[in-house]
C-alpha cells in the first residue's frame, strides 16, 4: 500500500509556511553570499534552535497546560496570559535572531491543538483586540501605503 499525503484542508496555512520558508532561505542565502559565511551559519543554527524551542519545549508546555485543566472546566487565566506573553516574546525574539517576525507566533499557533480549551480561551481573549485594534491598524497602514497613480 502506498503512503498518501494527508489532505490539507486549509491551503492558506500551507501557503504561509512555504512563504516563510522561501523568505528565510533567500535571506540566509543573501547573508551567506554577501556578508560572511560565519554569520550565515550562525543565523542558520540560531534559527534552527528557535524552531526546535517552539516544536519541542513550548509544545510540551502547552500540552501540560491542557492536561492540568480538568475536563469541562475553563482554562486557568494564568495559562492564557502565559501563552499570550509567549506569543509576543516569540514575535520580538524571532525578529532579533533573524527570522521573519511572524514565523514564531505562526509556528506556535500550529503547535496548539485545535479545539482544545486553551485554543478556544486564547481566541476568546484575543478576538476583541485583534478585530477591534489590530485589523483596523493593518487596514489603515495598507491604505496609507497604497499608490493610486
Amino acid at each position: 500500500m502506498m503512503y498518501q499525503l494527508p489532505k490539507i484542508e486549509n491551503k492558506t496555512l500551507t501557503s504561509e509556511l512555504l512563504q516563510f520558508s522561501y523568505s528565510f532561505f533567500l535571506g540566509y542565502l543573501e547573508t551567506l553570499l554577501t556578508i560572511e559565511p560565519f554569520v550565515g551559519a550562525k543565523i542558520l543554527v540560531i534559527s534552527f534552535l528557535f524552531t526546535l524551542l517552539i516544536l519541542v519545549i513550548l509544545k510540551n508546555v502547552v500540552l501540560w497546560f491542557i492536561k492540568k485543566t480538568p475536563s469541562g472546566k475553563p482554562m486557568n487565566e494564568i495559562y492564557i496570559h502565559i501563552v499570550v506573553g509567549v506569543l509576543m516574546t516569540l514575535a520580538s525574539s524571532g525578529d532579533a535572531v533573524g527570522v521573519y517576525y511572524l514565523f514564531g507566533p505562526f509556528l506556535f499557533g500550529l503547535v496548539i491543538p485545535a479545539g482544545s480549551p486553551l485554543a478556544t480561551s486564547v481566541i476568546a481573549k484575543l478576538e476583541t483586540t485583534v478585530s477591534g485594534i489590530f485589523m483596523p491598524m493593518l487596514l489603515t497602514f495598507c491604505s496609507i501605503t497604497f499608490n493610486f497613480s
Side-chain angles (χ1 to χ4, degrees):
M1 182 169 150
M2 265 180 77
Y3 177 73
Q4 292 182 350
L5 291 173
K7 184 176 179 184
I8 298 174
E9 296 293 329
N10 195 342
K11 292 181 177 37
T12 305
L13 291 176
T14 306
S15 171
E16 286 291 317
L17 194 56
L18 289 173
Q19 183 254 335
F20 286 145
S21 303
Y22 181 71
S23 297
F24 174 75
F25 177 73
L26 287 182
Y28 170 72
L29 194 60
E30 180 184 12
T31 303
L32 191 65
L33 296 175
T34 59
I35 299 176
E36 185 178 332
F38 178 73
V39 174
K42 188 169 91 172
I43 289 173
L44 185 64
V45 168
I46 291 174
S47 301
F48 177 74
L49 292 175
F50 181 71
T51 304
L52 201 62
L53 166 86
I54 296 170
L55 293 178
V56 175
I57 296 172
L58 293 179
K59 180 180 180 181
N60 288 330
V61 169
V62 164
L63 293 176
W64 183 76
F65 286 167
I66 293 170
K67 190 173 93 175
K68 289 290 281 185
T69 303
S71 181
K73 297 283 185 179
M75 187 60 97
N76 194 344
E77 288 288 320
I78 192 70
Y79 297 153
I80 298 168
H81 294 300
I82 289 171
V83 167
V84 171
V86 166
L87 284 171
M88 300 300 174
T89 304
L90 286 174
S92 60
S93 62
D95 190 43
V97 299
V99 296
Y100 187 53
Y101 74 98
L102 290 177
F103 180 72
F106 176 76
L107 201 58
F108 187 59
L110 291 178
V111 165
I112 298 175
S116 67
L118 180 63
T120 55
S121 299
V122 169
I123 289 171
K125 284 279 187 193
L126 294 179
E127 188 172 23
T128 304
T129 307
V130 168
S131 63
I133 297 173
F134 292 142
M135 286 300 287
M137 284 174 53
L138 176 69
L139 292 173
T140 303
F141 178 74
C142 292
S143 307
I144 289 171
T145 60
F146 186 76
N147 185 1
F148 288 104
S149 61

